[in-house]
């Protein structure tokens, strides 16, 4: 599906979605605690990996 080129095309797509019962602008979900923890640990592991690779090259 190509992106709409005019505002009228975009409004038509939104109208079709509303007629089909699809909410084109759903409310944002709040991040859960487990997601924050998982993202934090992932970032820590990635940083440790990058530092260890850097030290391995120069030591």
């Amino acid at each position: 599906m190509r992106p709409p080129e005019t505002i009228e095309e975009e409004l038509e797509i939104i109208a079709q979605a509303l007629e089909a019962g699809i909410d084109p602008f759903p409310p944002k979900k709040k991040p859960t605690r487990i997601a924050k923890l998982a993202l934090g640990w992932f970032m820590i592991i990635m940083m440790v990996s990058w530092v260890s690779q850097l030290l391995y090259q120069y030591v």
Side-chain angles (χ1 to χ4, degrees):
M1 184 175 173
R2 63 176 176 76
E5 295 178 359
T6 64
I7 293 176
E8 288 81 17
E9 290 178 1
E10 191 166 350
L11 290 174
E12 183 181 334
I13 293 171
I14 292 172
Q16 290 174 356
L18 288 172
E19 288 174 5
I22 300 170
D23 185 10
F25 308 106
K28 290 188 176 183
K29 295 180 181 176
K30 292 185 177 182
T32 61
R33 185 167 190 248
I34 190 80
K36 289 180 183 178
L37 278 171
L39 182 60
W41 277 107
F42 175 75
M43 291 174 67
I44 289 170
I45 291 170
M46 289 300 295
M47 286 185 221
V48 168
S49 172
W50 291 337
V51 169
S52 66
Q53 287 177 2
L54 186 70
L55 289 175
Y56 183 74
Q57 289 178 358
Y58 292 110
V59 173

